[in-house]
């Protein structure tokens, strides 16, 4: 089962990277075309916006996986760990409930879109553009449940990537300080 999660982690990461690379490259090409050649390619801006929105939603799903989503924690840190975990789980349950309603409503919205509702310059049916909504919210729901399983059943706390990076930097600074002190004692 862990290989499934590893592949899903990698897939989300690769999707986010590819979307970011493509929309940044397209925007760069648009800027070069405007500034150097005096013309613009009309579909680039629309495609860049679509790719950015897809990137944001897949990124939100990945952030839920690594517990890097925005959350107010100061009150939870003042509580006993067990109580804080229960309150977090209740909050996540409400979040999952919201996601389920959102998936349901997004699916209804997409099913009601007519084939003639298209992106202006690309000509794509908007129902395909809006597919990111139920897909990303379903992935986010899976990730929220996965993180809660890890915390509540397995007893593992996913580390906040920002906090881990700061801790690594502090450890590196301490190592450098010790190395400096060793050199200057001689």
């Amino acid at each position: 089962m862990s290989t499934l999660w590893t592949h899903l982690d990698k897939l989300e990461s690769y999707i986010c990277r590819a979307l970011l690379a493509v929309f940044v490259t397209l925007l760069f090409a648009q800027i070069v075309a405007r500034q150097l050649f005096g013309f613009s390619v009309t579909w680039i801006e629309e495609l860049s916006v679509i790719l950015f929105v897809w990137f944001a939603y897949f990124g939100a799903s990945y952030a839920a996986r690594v517990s890097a989503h925005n959350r107010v924690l100061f009150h939870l840190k003042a509580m006993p760990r067990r109580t804080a975990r229960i309150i977090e789980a209740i909050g996540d349950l409400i979040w999952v409930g919201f996601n389920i309603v959102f998936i349901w409503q997004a699916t209804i919205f997409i099913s009601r879109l007519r084939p003639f509702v298209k992106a202006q310059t690309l000509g794509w049916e908007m129902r395909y553009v809006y597919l990111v909504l139920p897909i990303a919210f379903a992935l986010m729901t899976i990730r929220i449940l996965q993180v809660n399983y890890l915390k509540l059943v397995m007893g593992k706390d996913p580390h906040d990537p920002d906090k881990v990076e700061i801790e690594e930097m502090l450890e590196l600074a301490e190592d450098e300080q010790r190395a400096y002190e060793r050199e200057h004692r001689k």
Side-chain angles (χ1 to χ4, degrees), residues 178 180-186:
R178 284 191 290 270
Y180 176 81
E181 289 171 358
R182 276 193 305 263
E183 284 182 21
H184 286 60
R185 275 191 240 164
K186 293 179 182 179

Side-chain angles (χ1 to χ4, degrees), residues 59-128:
S61 171
Y62 191 71
R65 166 59 183 103
V66 296
S67 288
H69 48 279
N70 292 332
R71 183 179 286 209
V72 178
L73 295 174
F74 73 92
H75 64 292
L76 296 176
K77 291 183 181 193
M79 296 178 185
R81 186 71 195 129
R82 181 169 165 73
T83 305
R85 280 190 171 180
I86 291 169
I87 291 173
E88 277 183 299
I90 292 169
D92 286 346
L93 189 61
I94 293 168
W95 187 7
V96 166
F98 170 82
N99 285 357
I100 290 169
V101 170
F102 192 91
I103 293 165
W104 173 49
Q105 291 298 317
T107 305
I108 291 170
F109 172 73
I110 291 168
S111 70
R112 290 183 179 167
L113 282 176
R114 301 291 177 232
F116 60 81
V117 178
K118 296 185 177 190
Q120 283 185 326
T121 57
L122 293 169
W124 296 352
E125 287 186 39
M126 290 304 289
R127 70 177 71 193
Y128 301 119

Side-chain angles (χ1 to χ4, degrees), residues 24-82:
V24 168
T25 303
L26 287 172
L27 289 175
F28 178 74
Q30 179 76 321
I31 291 168
V32 169
R34 279 188 186 166
Q35 297 301 315
L36 296 180
F37 305 114
F39 74 92
S40 65
V41 183
T42 56
W43 58 266
I44 285 181
E45 289 180 34
E46 186 172 43
L47 181 57
S48 296
V49 168
I50 291 168
L51 294 174
F52 176 75
V53 169
W54 276 64
F55 167 74
Y57 280 113
F58 277 103
S61 171
Y62 191 71
R65 166 59 183 103
V66 296
S67 288
H69 48 279
N70 292 332
R71 183 179 286 209
V72 178
L73 295 174
F74 73 92
H75 64 292
L76 296 176
K77 291 183 181 193
M79 296 178 185
R81 186 71 195 129
R82 181 169 165 73

Side-chain angles (χ1 to χ4, degrees), residues 139-170:
L139 280 172
M140 201 179 313
T141 302
I142 291 167
R143 295 316 202 151
I144 294 164
L145 295 173
Q146 178 188 13
V147 167
N148 275 287
Y149 175 79
L150 289 172
K151 283 196 291 191
L152 299 173
V153 176
M154 303 297 288
K156 298 177 186 175
D157 264 333
H159 298 290
D160 182 354
D162 295 331
K163 186 177 179 184
V164 169
E165 186 175 313
I166 291 169
E167 289 171 357
E168 289 173 356
M169 291 171 71
L170 289 173

